[in-house]
Amino acid sequence: MAKEFIARGADLELKKIRKEFPGFTAIEELDLHVPAGEFFALLGPSGCGKTTTLRLVAGLETPTSGQIFIGGEDETETKPHERPVNTVFQSYALFPHMNVLENVAFGLRQRKIDEPLVKAKEALNLVQLAHLADRKPQQLSGGQQQRVALARALVNRPSLLLLDEPLGALDLKLRREMQIELKAIQMEVGLTFLHVTHDQEEAMDMADTVAVMNKGRIEQMGAPEALYDRPKTVFVSKFLGQSNLLVGEVESTSANSVSIEVAGNKISVPKTRAEKHTGKIAIGFRPEKATFTNKKPAASSSTNIIGPGEIIDIRFTGVSNQYLIEVPELGNITVFAQNIGKSPVTELGEKVWISWSVEHSFGLSDLPNTGEAA
Amino acid sequence: MAFAAFSSTKSNGTSKPKKTGRVVIALLAPGLAYLGAFFLTPLIALIMVSLQAQDPYGGIGDYIPAFEINNYFLVITEYFPHMFRSFSYALIATILALLISYPLAYFIGVKARPYPLLQKLMLTLVIAPFFISFLLRTLAWKQIFSNESWIVTTLQDTGLLEADQYVVGTPFMVIFGLTYNFIPFMTLPLYTSLERLDTRYLEAGSDLYASPSKVFRKVTLPLSMPGIISGTLLTFIPIAGDYINASGDFLGSSSTAMLGNVIEANYLQINDYPSASALSVLLMGAILILVAGYVKKSGTEDLL
Amino acid sequence: MNQNLPEDPQLREMVKAALAHKVTRRAVLGGAVATSAAALLAACAPSDKAQLTPATDVSDSDPSLIWSNWSLYVDVDDAGNYPTLEKFKSETGISVTYREDYDDNDSYFGKVKDQLALGQDIGADLTCPTSWMAARWINAGYVQTFDEAELPNKKNVQPAYLGEAYDPQRTMSLPYQGILAGFAFDKKAYKDATGKEAPAVLADLWDPSLKGRIGVLSEMRDTVGIVLMDQGVKIGDANSLTEDAFMSAIDVIGQKVTEGQIARIKGNSYKDDLVNGDTIVAIAWSGDIIQLNAEAGYDRFGFVLPESGGTISADCFVIPMGATHKKNAEKLMNFYYDPYNAAVLAAYVNYITPVVGAKEEAMKLDPALAENQLIFPSEEFLSLTQGFRALDSKEEQAFTKAFQKIKLGA
């Protein structure tokens, strides 16, 4: 049964996966391809089906329909212990009746690999825990346990390493350290990582590719920068960072752009950055891409302007100030201004105009729910 | 009694008196008084009786204080077969109870977790026999396996039993009765242990290339060890001292008499109190040694 | 205790057996505590034969009495009342607390022996040990001497019960019921197995077709006694019943147990085995067989004395030294020695009445009953029976141990 001891990662392909549980459907229909050697993040809120996806890949659940390929081989029907896959569990699931070294050697022993303890010790060295080899897992801190869990999975050189929110239980500082470490290890060993998380910063920070999951399907997938720069759905625009959304009928279309009118303002988006070019569409922009002035700026075809609005809230967050501006008929708009000591206006109640480059607008494929503040 | 001794030594060994010594002593006092009055005193009395000698001028059942260590050698020589039989039966019945209880407890505690109603129903079924007297249930088995019962006649007709062989009074019947009567004492500790079993460890095991049988041996079994230990102790100890199942009035015969029956006969029929006491002390000592060795061997002191 | 027993006879026997054993288990615990206490006391207690004095009799001021007896050994009506005891109360004003806690001679003795030895109240004013146990109590000085003035009916005692070495004139013990042991057998099963109508001699019990279907009493004197008589030993005669004779009878029984011919060695619960068919022939007590037939509703079981004879013994009233209601107890004995009362009792318990004149009274109540040899045996019938001789304590210990060894196997 023992598979080849693979030193390089394999690719993962999910084809038309559907998973139903009694009473609900966790995954509607999922197609996914993770290239070999990539750090791939599945990002989504809890209940979106990301953990189910991971369990399907690990073999801990069987899909209702669809197929799973790992390194080109159909693994849909194989048992978890037959798959060249290892998981770092959210709870770590370190065996409490074994010491750290035996935990790490467990997989090697099962596959009858030579010198399991030597290899386990090497893996512990990799996560800098060799000195704790004789301890029981209960005697370790959360971060140490997490690293043991990582070593226990990595030591097997799986084609595919699954990470189920392994950093979720750690405090912020430790989590940052672990993120760096994890990424470094992935680069070093060159395995394919499938990382499930609800933490968008973590996903964007570590992953080569991020897939945003919502309600059992993937909404959008791509490099973190691309996802952030051009979200295609309301969900992605909101889940991955913050967005201001404006909704209106398409008024005019030029060769390069599409425009809508909202509350007397013409808002444009480059055609290449819009999912829809006709009918009612939503156009969004990132708060840090906008600026505001207390005088209406001169109109320009390369700038979108809305206003005047009233500053109703200012929040100091350290690196930037967050302004909440209420624009009549449009609702509240958020604008971030870098904290470089020359904010245009700092008073509550000031009337301001908000402007941003048309190039920074993005047109979405769907519309925000009615009643939701744009 | 032996079990009480065992657990008391354990708890004494691990308790750490803190600075508020008086409070600790005050809290411990009732327990210590209880142990002193109801464990230590009878134990000392038992040992004293076990060393008594026949009163040369007295009648039946008259003994005088003495230091007859020889009593012990006499009962060992005379009743060695019964001791051996007691521990063999106890071992076999405990193993059978474990083999039957484990899958049952696993099903109730792990597999039936999503169905609390089923869990409760099955637990009730496990405990239900307790609502009927142990003696009545044992007698009922005697009726079921009586010489003229269809079970026995069928066994005779099919040639599994000779025409003049029967079931009641055989070692099979006694071990059956012991297993049956003590199964709940095995199932319940196993259930409580398995019910707490985190199935994520099992998933981790299979994720780390362990086949289902390997997962069972390497993960499930060690993690349920506390339940196995307490279950086997709760079954083995009372079985080793049981005198009901093996008694000729219930499922046994003269060829199945266990140590409990010997002690009973010496106490109540022969009125040989020193022999009965010596046997009781030996039984207790043997159980203590076996249990201590067993717990040590299984290496689960920290899990208990 | 038996008021709420189930209707089904088989189940009832089971319940009874279970209840009986509960008492036994408790007795073991009680015995353990008592003996532990005794061990501690022993250091300061003299080991000589007890020189005990009777407790003060408070009968005149307290018209009550506690009687410890064997189970199913007095008349009970459907409502669970004891008619003769009620009659006794209405005649004398004395109310009797009747306890069925005398389960077994040895275990009862084990339970109360420490109190007996100290002359203390054992919780009963009157109790009924079997004659050999009564002899042990009398020899140890544990019981009070009767006041003949309170016992005018003592004149009715069957002469056969007089002249026992331990109490020739019955001044400290008085037979309550006579017990006869012989062969009980399931008539149909016995015929099916052996082709014969009834067992006649001990050898009939060793028929190969009865292998595993023979039961014997755990009461040593009855079981070994019958085997001894089969070997021609006079069990009442110390010259005939020697230790060697006893041991050779033990060997016979032991061999039959080892071979599997004898499957059960039991006390009261041997009846279950007859009822459920496990046992085809048993060494058994006559009174039980009459009761079992009554429960079966037909003459399912037969009872015969072996040609070499059966054993006879009696359970005897005794008043322990510590009893505080001696006069009341004597009045009760006197009451049961009235022939009419004795006949009523015999009609219910079906054992041999030791009271002269009871048969005549029984004739008036129920002629068929009076004809029953097992309740009112003729002289001729009684001539086939022998009583086990008194044993000194050394013999008793050795014999009991040898017999227990059979029960305990290898």
Side-chain angles (χ1 to χ4, degrees), chain B residues 82 142 147-148 248 254 268, chain C residues 106 213 257 266 273 278 408 410:
Chain B
H82 301 88
K142 182 176 173 261
N147 296 353
E148 298 288 335
S254 58
L268 294 177
Chain C
D106 286 303
R213 312 299 288 269
V257 169
K266 287 190 161 190
D273 298 332
D278 278 5
L408 294 173

Side-chain angles (χ1 to χ4, degrees), chain C residues 39 64-65 89 94 98 127 132 149 153 173 204 228 270 366 380:
Chain C
S64 73
L65 170 67
K89 187 180 181 184
I94 298 166
Y98 185 71
T127 183
W132 59 271
N153 288 339
S173 63
D204 289 340
L228 280 164
Y270 77 90
D366 177 359
E380 185 193 1

Side-chain angles (χ1 to χ4, degrees), chain A residues 55 81 86-87 94-95 97, chain B residues 201 203 206-207 209-210 218 222:
Chain A
R55 291 174 61 83
H81 67 277
N86 285 111
T87 310
L94 297 176
F95 303 126
H97 56 293
Chain B
Y201 294 132
E203 292 184 344
S206 61
D207 185 70
Y209 313 105
K218 299 282 176 184

Side-chain angles (χ1 to χ4, degrees), chain C residues 361-379:
Chain C
E361 291 296 330
M363 281 298 247
K364 297 176 205 161
L365 288 169
D366 177 359
L369 181 80
E371 293 303 320
N372 192 327
Q373 288 288 313
L374 297 179
I375 301 172
F376 299 104
S378 63
E379 285 297 319

Side-chain angles (χ1 to χ4, degrees), chain C residues 180-187 190 197-202 204-205 226 280-286 289 293 301-311 373-374 381 384-385:
Chain C
L180 204 55
F183 297 153
F185 58 102
D186 185 313
K187 289 179 176 173
Y190 184 77
E197 291 296 331
V201 292
L202 191 64
D204 289 340
L205 272 57
I226 282 177
I280 294 176
V281 188
I283 293 180
W285 291 311
S286 60
I289 302 314
N293 280 338
F301 301 104
F303 182 88
V304 293
L305 290 184
E307 283 174 6
S308 51
T311 57
Q373 288 288 313
L374 297 179
F381 192 84
L384 275 172
T385 65

